[in-house]
Amino acid sequence: MSSSRMDKSTIKPVNLRILDKDYVIACPENECETLSASARYLTQKIQEVKEGGKIVSIERLVVVSALNIIHEYMQYKQQREQDIHALEQHIAQLEAKIELALTRIKQ
């Protein structure tokens, strides 16, 4: 959590359980549910890697799980950027059509 984000609301301790360990994290009250959901997602991804059976050390489980999550995020981000670009192109085409229609009306 960044300190600037924490200044905006009341800070609350959130109890999280990851890999059978408990963590208490200070979190803005309005972000507690998202933080808890993130911990659940991390736990799920660690479990998926663990069930793959090839990784034994906890450190490697966490690193591979983190890499998988970052990879998902990067794919999402790239898709989002492509979607935004496509929307911008579509908007530009609509603007051009509107301009053309307005020009014809004025004639």
Side-chain angles (χ1 to χ4, degrees), residues 4 20 25 28 34 56 65 67 70 85 97 99:
S4 64
D20 298 322
I25 307 292
T34 304
V56 208
S65 299
L67 283 171
I70 294 299
H85 182 68
K97 287 180 181 180
E99 283 297 320

Side-chain angles (χ1 to χ4, degrees), residues 2-84:
S2 67
S3 60
S4 64
R5 290 177 75 190
M6 288 186 164
D7 295 337
K8 295 181 182 175
S9 68
T10 306
I11 303 303
K12 179 179 173 183
V14 177
N15 297 311
L16 305 173
R17 187 159 184 84
I18 301 169
L19 287 173
D20 298 322
K21 290 187 179 182
D22 293 315
Y23 298 89
V24 178
I25 307 292
C27 180
E29 196 170 61
N30 61 341
E31 296 180 22
C32 291
E33 184 52 40
T34 304
L35 180 62
S36 295
S38 297
R40 288 189 300 273
Y41 189 73
L42 175 59
T43 300
Q44 172 192 338
K45 289 300 181 180
I46 290 170
Q47 189 60 38
E48 287 173 11
V49 171
K50 194 175 186 179
E51 287 171 0
K54 296 178 183 177
I55 299 176
V56 208
S57 91
I58 297 297
E59 180 180 329
R60 286 187 61 92
L61 273 172
V62 173
V63 168
V64 170
S65 299
L67 283 171
N68 288 342
I69 291 168
I70 294 299
H71 183 253
E72 286 177 5
Y73 169 74
M74 297 301 287
Q75 286 180 318
Y76 164 79
K77 185 177 174 186
Q78 182 179 18
Q79 184 61 51
R80 184 173 176 261
E81 289 169 359
Q82 290 171 355
D83 291 346
I84 288 171

